[in-house]
Amino acid sequence: MNVHSPSPGKVWLVGAGPGDPDLLTLRAARLVMNAVLIVHDGLVDPAVLALARPTARLISVAKQRSRHTMQQDEINALLVREALAGRDVVRLKGGDPFIFGRGGEEAEACRAAGVPVEVVPGISAAIGAAAAAQMPLTHRNHASVVSFVAGQCKGLSAQDWTGLAGKGRTLVIYMGLATSEAIADKLIADGLAPEIPVAVIENATRPQMRVLRTSLAGLPALVAARKIKSPAVIVIGEAAGEPELNTLRELALEAAQ
């Protein structure tokens, strides 16, 4: 007797945005609300997951520094396995799937296995954090170039960041809290002024959001003294030192602590 395998399901790589569920795209919200199976990162806000139907199956593949619920190859295999079993999978990622989200690797794994895959973009952590902090990453008077880099990756010390920050430029660093001292030393050694403005935006778009400012030289001390935790992005450049745009918000945030 011939047993026919089910037609493969579809994998949707969905950007969950920076945190606030109101910042989901309409397409992302519909997919989450209708999903049967959601595979999600640890940084996806619980308020976003709360949009899922009660019967939805939720699988966390949370990652933290040096500790993973699943390795990336295992995540890829999970998505392929579920789809080949005929199930549609919503792969929910913080920010945007293709900006430091390893969405490219997951899409490649799906295509290699013959699994249909579609990408639903999301507001990236950098864009969402800057907007929530009213901190323009580009400004006619300050910056016409923006660069995004990962502060926690293989071969950090060997990477060439020369020219990514400085006059007329804004540098946004993802996943840089644990390596903030190495990042500051690296940029200063590359010629960046120790006094250049730096802002750390923690829990962007969430009720507990904090915007903390210092200089590049003071970045490691700020991270330690204020006990800053992920999710957070680090903004370096004149855009990070725009006090007239942030004073009222920062005062309110400090008063609430």
Side-chain angles (χ1 to χ4, degrees):
M1 183 175 74
N2 292 327
V3 178
H4 298 287
S5 299
S7 298
K10 186 171 183 176
V11 172
W12 304 79
L13 303 180
V14 179
D20 185 345
D22 284 347
L23 296 177
L24 288 168
T25 65
L26 291 174
R27 189 178 201 133
R30 284 196 293 266
L31 284 167
V32 171
M33 289 188 288
N34 293 319
V36 173
L37 172 60
I38 297 175
V39 178
H40 64 91
D41 288 344
L43 293 182
V44 174
D45 196 276
V48 174
L49 296 176
L51 297 175
R53 63 172 77 178
T55 56
R57 180 183 169 206
L58 273 60
I59 300 176
S60 173
V61 291
K63 295 177 183 176
Q64 297 179 7
R65 182 173 171 83
S66 301
R67 188 170 75 249
H68 305 282
T69 301
M70 286 188 185
Q71 298 294 329
Q72 187 60 51
D73 287 347
E74 294 175 303
I75 296 173
N76 297 348
L78 169 66
L79 300 178
V80 168
R81 183 171 63 251
E82 293 291 341
L84 291 179
R87 288 180 279 273
D88 290 339
V89 183
V90 171
R91 173 67 173 107
L92 199 56
K93 295 173 165 290
D96 180 272
F98 279 4
I99 299 182
F100 301 124
R102 298 189 177 179
E105 297 174 43
E106 293 173 7
E108 289 167 3
C110 290
R111 289 194 295 266
V115 170
V117 60
E118 184 169 329
V119 181
V120 179
I123 296 174
S124 71
I127 301 301
Q134 297 188 26
M135 186 181 299
L137 299 180
T138 64
H139 191 293
R140 285 196 301 168
N141 297 329
H142 301 299
S144 59
V145 176
V146 182
S147 299
F148 299 154
V149 299
Q152 180 181 312
C153 57
K154 295 179 180 178
L156 175 62
S157 60
Q159 292 187 32
D160 184 6
W161 290 359
T162 306
L164 296 185
K167 187 173 178 58
R169 297 172 180 269
T170 303
L171 177 62
V172 183
I173 301 175
Y174 286 66
M175 302 170 287
L177 295 181
T179 54
S180 60
E181 184 172 3
I183 287 169
D185 290 346
K186 175 182 178 66
L187 290 171
I188 292 171
D190 284 345
L192 202 58
E195 63 273 12
I196 193 169
V198 170
V200 183
I201 307 172
E202 178 190 62
N203 285 308
T205 76
R206 296 168 168 89
Q208 66 272 36
M209 172 177 153
R210 291 195 294 173
V211 182
L212 305 168
R213 283 188 171 79
T214 185
S215 64
L216 179 58
L219 174 60
L222 176 74
V223 171
R226 301 306 298 271
K227 297 180 171 58
I228 303 172
K229 298 187 182 301
S230 182
V233 296
I234 301 168
V235 182
I236 300 174
E238 294 303 318
E242 283 284 282
E244 67 271 22
L245 295 178
N246 294 278
T247 300
L248 292 177
R249 185 177 187 88
E250 287 184 317
L251 288 174
L253 287 166
E254 292 292 333
Q257 294 175 16

